[in-house]
Each structure stands twice: as structure tokens, then as C-alpha cells.
Amino acid sequence: MAVAVQIREAKEADCGEIMKMIRELAEFEKLSDQVKISEEVLKTDGFGENPFYHCLVAEIPPEHRDPLGSTLAGYGLYYFTYSTWTGRNVYLEDIYVMPKYQGQGIGSKIIKKVAEAALERGCSQLRLAVLDNNRSAIEFYKARGAKDLTVAEGWHFFHFDNEAVREMVRK
């Protein structure tokens, strides 16, 4: 049965459920060991004086909630970046819909709201990364007009973990 969720800005009180979904997403991606943040860090980083990120949630209407279950069906976590070539960008770090709510257009509603936020802020691009084995997500993004830069332009995305950053500073 399709549920008419409301997409809204996350509140600090949502961080427990968002953290649960972050762990579910990491488990799906077989990368659970890489989740290092806690609910408290999520609260501080998203709802402190200078938030590092923005988050949208898909809220389940009260009449469809499981008495002991979640009040949220999914989330989209994003932040603004800057490109020296194209100017303002938005980066969609995560988009996740709980399995029992997938296939109901919730992911589409979340990404549409992120796109609206990008346009409101004058962004020229919406960027994201997806694991190569997540074919359904790749097709989801392509169906909405995303271009696979790995294929089209040969870009590879890198990151330096905390130890590598510390080593770079020491040298």
C-alpha cells in the first residue's frame, strides 16, 4: 500500500531515526564498518551554530505508522559546495528510502526537493556518487538526467581518511 509521505526539513529530534537509516544504508552497501559518527555528532553537525549539512526526511503520516516503528520512511542529506568551473553546486551525500517504502516515489520526491533547494540557492549542478554495484540507483539517477562522469569524462573520486590528512600535515 502506497503511503503519502510528507517531505520536510529534518529536525534535531529526527537524528535518532536518521542515524538508524544511515546504518541501514551502510549495511546495504556492505560498508557498515565505515560509519564512525554518532547521533550526537549528527545533531551537532547539522543543528549547531554553523550547520555542515542539510537534511530532508520523508515523514510517515500518523495513521500509517507502526506503533513501535519509525515515523520516517527515508532521508536525503546534502550540502553546498563550490566548483571553480561552474560555481555553486549541491552535493547529495545520501538518499535512502527504507525497503518497505521503496517503489512508491519517495526517493523521487526527496531528490526533487534537493533540486529545488539547489535552484533556490543558485546552484548550477547537483552532484552525487553511487557505488558501481548499485544498479537500481544508477538507473534511478540516469532516468532523471544524471550523467555518469566516470564513463563520460573519466573522473575518479578520491578521499583522504583522517590518518592520511594527519600524515599530510606532519610532513
Side-chain angles (χ1 to χ4, degrees):
M1 169 176 56
V3 176
V5 299
Q6 176 194 356
I7 308 301
R8 62 166 173 79
E9 290 285 333
K11 301 172 189 162
E12 186 174 352
D14 296 322
C15 286
E17 286 191 65
I18 295 167
M19 194 66 226
K20 179 179 171 279
M21 290 186 285
I22 288 170
R23 288 188 186 102
E24 288 175 12
L25 176 58
E27 189 173 313
F28 168 77
E29 293 176 337
K30 297 178 178 41
L31 297 169
S32 297
D33 61 318
Q34 293 189 27
V35 177
K36 306 295 184 202
I37 66 166
S38 66
E39 181 180 340
E40 287 308 311
V41 170
L42 200 61
K43 286 179 179 179
T44 301
D45 289 349
F47 300 92
E49 190 174 318
N50 295 305
F52 274 88
Y53 69 85
H54 301 271
C55 188
L56 298 169
V57 294
E59 185 174 41
I60 304 165
E63 64 272 14
H64 292 288
R65 291 182 189 157
D66 210 334
L68 301 174
S70 291
T71 61
L72 304 177
Y75 74 98
L77 193 144
Y78 64 98
Y79 47 89
F80 296 98
T81 66
Y82 197 82
S83 165
T84 57
W85 293 0
T86 62
R88 296 176 183 188
N89 284 225
V90 65
Y91 190 86
L92 181 58
E93 179 69 26
D94 283 352
I95 183 170
Y96 178 74
V97 177
M98 294 171 67
K100 72 180 184 178
Y101 297 105
Q102 291 175 3
Q104 298 180 32
I106 296 169
S108 294
K109 289 177 182 176
I110 293 171
I111 201 166
K112 180 180 178 183
K113 286 284 192 186
V114 173
E116 288 172 1
L119 292 175
E120 287 169 8
R121 296 283 297 267
C123 294
S124 61
Q125 295 181 343
L126 188 160
R127 294 178 166 261
L128 56 91
V130 61
L131 287 172
D132 61 359
N133 65 352
N134 192 345
R135 298 305 312 166
S136 63
I138 291 169
E139 294 309 315
F140 174 84
Y141 300 130
K142 283 183 174 182
R144 283 150 186 81
K147 183 162 113 178
D148 183 346
L149 295 180
T150 306
V151 172
E153 298 178 8
W155 288 97
H156 292 269
F157 290 92
F158 293 89
H159 85 269
F160 294 91
D161 64 19
N162 189 269
E163 185 53 37
V165 172
R166 291 178 184 282
E167 185 63 26
M168 198 181 317
V169 170
R170 284 192 289 266
K171 288 185 176 184

